[in-house]
């Protein structure tokens, strides 16, 4: 009998410098965009209405950058995180070209770091992934790191390589927003606040909440063709330390971002990811709350600005007191996401 099924890569299979060309290009459709709204509640006007986007100089409503991110991410799972324990974080991400319905996305990754954990059973793998469209234009690029199981614990640890990553994407090297402030309608966007209305250090409680349902988080993860076992296989996860499937971290991001609309309704376009951590697990039945902090600002010119935002999501805890870290700098147990990104926002003037 020949073995034709693919068990995925384990920690010892990753070699720094290897290029991984991921399978299954995906054409993103209007149906995908509609399903994404249905699963997340996202309501940023720029991604909701062709007419609104056209008034801002675009050919129509683009695909939400996070949907594009998740589709590209999903391509990488069979090669990188099929045998993952957990996806740990992100850094140095840039959204370079808008994605429209009908565009086809594919992904390529380079292994840039490996480090075996002290238990000898798992290790951390760092990769830089780039998503391309059908014209071979770079759509987005980012670094992520993931904890992966070893298949053979008797194998010696590889030489440790930990990549040096920037703490943030420099304001002076931010990608240019896809849309123009000319023709932007603050009334139709649903928020009166522009770039000049936000102050560094300001914190915003987004007030609303979403409860994560079992079917919804699994449908969302399948929408992105993310096949990681930890999200689906109850039989296997029953013997894990949590005893149940984990919700994909991208679901936490894409539930928290729509919550941020209430207070940041005009900061629709994510243009860069500085850092991100899934600091505690999220499960079906948990209710997600969120708050944001304005960490920095940068004038992009031509009536556009960028806000550097920390988006923090908590489970089963309203964010009226802005839960984050304890006195020792450790994330609180009910904080599930700490996401640092740049978003473009028009100026009212």
């Amino acid at each position: 009998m020949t073995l034709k099924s693919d068990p995925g890569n384990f920690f010892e299979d990753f070699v720094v410098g290897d290029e991984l060309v991921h399978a299954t290009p995906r054409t993103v459709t209007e149906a995908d965009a509609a399903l994404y709204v249905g699963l997340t509640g996202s309501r940023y006007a720029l991604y909701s209405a062709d007419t609104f986007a056209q008034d801002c100089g675009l050919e129509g409503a683009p695909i939400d950058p996070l949907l594009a991110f998740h589709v590209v991410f999903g391509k990488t799972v069979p090669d990188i995180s099929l045998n993952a324990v957990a996806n740990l974080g992100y850094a140095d991400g840039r959204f370079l070209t808008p994605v429209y319905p009908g565009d086809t996305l594919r992904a390529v990754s380079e292994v840039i770091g490996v480090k075996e954990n002290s238990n000898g059973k798992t290790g951390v793998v760092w990769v830089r992934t780039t998503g391309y469209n059908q014209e071979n234009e770079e759509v987005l690029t980012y670094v992520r790191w993931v904890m992966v199981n070893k298949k053979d614990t008797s194998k010696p640890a590889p030489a440790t390589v930990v990549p040096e990553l920037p703490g943030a994407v420099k304001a002076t090297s931010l990608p240019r927003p896809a849309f123009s402030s000319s023709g932007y309608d603050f009334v139709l966007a649903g928020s009166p606040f522009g770039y000049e209305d936000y102050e560094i250090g300001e914190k915003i409680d987004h007030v609303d909440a979403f409860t994560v349902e079992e079917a919804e988080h699994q449908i969302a993860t399948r929408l992105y063709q993310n096949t990681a076992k930890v999200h689906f296989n109850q039989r296997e996860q029953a013997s894990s330390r949590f005893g149940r499937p984990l919700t994909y971290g991208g679901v936490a991001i894409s539930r928290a971002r729509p919550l941020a609309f209430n207070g940041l309704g005009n900061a629709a376009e994510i243009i860069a990811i500085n850092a991100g951590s899934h600091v505690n697990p999220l499960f079906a039945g948990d209710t997600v709350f969120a708050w944001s902090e304005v960490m920095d600002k940068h004038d992009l010119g031509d009536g556009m600005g960028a806000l550097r935002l920390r988006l923090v999501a908590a489970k089963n805890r309203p964010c009226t007191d802005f839960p984050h870290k304890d006195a020792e700098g450790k994330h609180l147990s009910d904080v599930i996401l700490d996401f640092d990104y740049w978003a473009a926002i028009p100026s009212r003037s």
Side-chain angles (χ1 to χ4, degrees):
M1 182 177 70
T2 59
L3 181 64
K4 291 186 171 63
S5 56
D6 184 1
N9 290 320
F10 291 85
F11 175 70
E12 60 265 41
D13 297 321
F14 292 95
V15 177
V16 173
D18 277 0
E19 181 183 76
L20 305 173
V21 179
H22 305 295
T24 321
R26 173 76 186 277
T27 300
V28 186
T29 67
E30 291 181 352
D32 295 321
L35 184 54
Y36 182 77
V37 170
L39 292 168
T40 67
S42 184
R43 54 196 175 111
Y44 292 97
L46 194 65
Y47 307 110
S48 298
D50 285 338
T51 52
F52 188 96
Q54 288 162 355
D55 286 344
C56 297
L58 301 175
E59 62 184 65
I63 296 296
D64 189 298
L66 282 179
L67 175 54
F69 172 83
H70 294 320
V71 169
V72 169
F73 184 105
K75 303 297 99 196
T76 73
V77 168
D79 300 313
I80 295 169
S81 49
L82 190 65
N83 296 302
V85 178
N87 188 51
L88 299 176
Y90 315 95
D92 199 26
R94 292 172 173 80
F95 293 83
L96 304 169
T97 303
V99 177
Y100 291 97
D103 284 348
T104 298
L105 302 180
R106 63 182 181 87
V108 178
S109 298
E110 179 187 359
V111 180
I112 61 173
V114 292
K115 182 179 184 295
E116 185 169 290
N117 291 328
S118 58
N119 62 13
K121 298 178 181 179
T122 59
V124 179
V125 179
W126 286 261
V127 296
R128 173 171 287 283
T129 296
T130 303
Y132 299 88
N133 64 17
Q134 68 278 6
E135 304 297 333
N136 289 323
E137 298 172 312
E138 291 187 2
V139 168
L140 59 92
T141 180
Y142 63 93
V143 173
R144 73 158 167 143
W145 50 103
V146 57
M147 188 186 302
V148 183
N149 285 309
K150 288 186 73 174
K151 184 176 184 180
D152 183 355
T153 57
S154 67
K155 284 195 173 183
T160 295
V161 178
V162 177
E164 291 186 14
L165 299 172
V169 176
K170 291 182 179 179
T172 53
S173 62
L174 288 171
R176 188 69 193 169
F179 73 102
S180 167
S181 62
S182 177
Y184 191 93
D185 191 321
F186 284 83
V187 173
L188 293 181
S191 171
F193 304 116
Y195 172 73
E196 61 268 54
D197 297 310
Y198 293 90
E199 299 295 333
I200 295 173
E202 179 179 359
K203 294 180 179 180
I204 304 165
D205 174 11
H206 297 305
V207 181
D208 305 313
F210 284 117
T211 298
V212 177
E213 302 293 347
E214 189 78 69
E216 290 178 343
H217 90 77
Q218 294 202 14
I219 289 171
T221 308
R222 285 193 289 268
L223 173 65
Y224 317 133
Q225 296 180 319
N226 180 335
T227 56
K229 300 173 186 176
V230 295
H231 307 313
F232 299 108
N233 192 331
Q234 174 59 51
R235 183 174 182 274
E236 185 172 291
Q237 292 307 304
S239 61
S240 72
R241 66 188 178 112
F242 298 116
R244 58 191 298 195
L246 294 170
T247 299
Y248 164 47
V251 170
I253 299 173
S254 282
R255 282 296 180 91
R257 260 284 287 179
L259 293 175
F261 177 90
N262 193 350
L264 287 163
N266 294 313
E269 184 181 355
I270 297 178
I271 54 176
I273 297 173
N274 299 307
S277 299
H278 301 292
V279 294
N280 286 296
L282 176 67
F283 300 104
D286 288 337
T287 299
V288 177
F289 297 81
W291 64 273
S292 293
E293 178 184 3
V294 181
M295 300 174 67
D296 200 358
K297 298 176 64 174
H298 182 68
D299 190 342
L300 297 171
D302 297 325
M304 294 292 296
L307 300 179
R308 182 180 174 186
L309 300 166
R310 168 182 284 127
L311 174 62
V312 177
K315 59 181 180 181
N316 308 319
R317 172 176 175 167
C319 291
T320 53
D321 61 344
F322 307 110
H324 191 214
K325 296 181 179 180
D326 61 21
E328 298 178 352
K330 183 179 179 180
H331 283 97
L332 302 178
S333 61
D334 41 17
V335 170
I336 58 172
L337 174 71
D338 193 343
F339 191 63
D340 176 350
Y341 67 102
W342 285 100
I345 184 170
S347 170
R348 287 186 292 101
S349 58

